Amino acid sequence: MLYVYVGLAGALGALARYGIGTGIETFWVGMFPLGTLLINLSGSFALGWLTHFLFRSGRLSPSVVTAVRTGFIGSFTTFSTFSVETIELLESGAIGMALLYVTLSLMLGLFSSWLGFWFGRRRFKQFRREEVVR
C-alpha cells in the first residue's frame, strides 16, 4: 500500500510543479530558468521544515511521511531539470547565466533547507512545550 501512497503523492507533486512552473512562465520570459529555481528552493525549504517539525511531531504515520518526502517533494523538485537547463545555458553561450544559476541554486538551496530546518526545530520546540502544558 505504501507504493500507492508514494505514487499518488508523486502525481500530486508533479502536477503542482507543472502548475507552478507554467504559472511562472506566464510572467517570466527570460532565458534564466526562474521557475525551476523557485520550485527547487521552495521544495528545499518545505522538506527542511517538514523534516524538523511535522515529521518529528508524531502526528503522521511513517507511511504518510514517506509519501510526502519521496512522492510529493521528490517529484515536485528536480535535479535533472536543473542539470539540463544548465547545459542548455552553457551550449547557448550564456556561461555567466549558467554560473549564476548553479551558484544561486546551490547557495539558496542550502539556505532554504537550513531556514526550513530552523523554522521546523523552532516549531517542534513550541509543540513539545504545548504538549507538556496539556
Side-chain angles (χ1 to χ4, degrees), residues 93-105:
I95 296 170
M97 195 172 293
L99 291 173
L100 177 66
Y101 184 43
V102 169
T103 301
L104 287 175
S105 294

Side-chain angles (χ1 to χ4, degrees), residues 3 53 74:
Y3 290 100
F53 170 58

Side-chain angles (χ1 to χ4, degrees), residues 24-112:
I24 291 170
E25 287 175 5
T26 62
F27 70 85
W28 180 260
V29 293
M31 185 182 212
F32 189 82
L34 182 64
T36 303
L37 178 65
L38 294 177
I39 288 166
N40 286 339
L41 294 178
S42 63
S44 294
F45 175 84
L47 187 57
W49 184 81
L50 290 168
T51 297
H52 282 278
F53 170 58
L54 195 56
F55 297 158
R56 290 177 63 196
S57 70
R59 293 182 175 180
L60 299 176
S61 73
S63 296
V64 172
V65 169
T66 299
V68 171
R69 275 182 127 162
T70 304
F72 186 85
I73 302 288
S75 66
F76 181 67
T77 61
T78 176
F79 187 75
S80 58
T81 301
F82 160 74
S83 300
V84 167
E85 288 171 343
T86 301
I87 297 301
E88 287 174 344
L89 287 170
L90 290 170
E91 287 187 347
S92 72
I95 296 170
M97 195 172 293
L99 291 173
L100 177 66
Y101 184 43
V102 169
T103 301
L104 287 175
S105 294
L106 180 61
M107 303 287 280
L108 294 177
L110 290 170
F111 177 74
S112 295

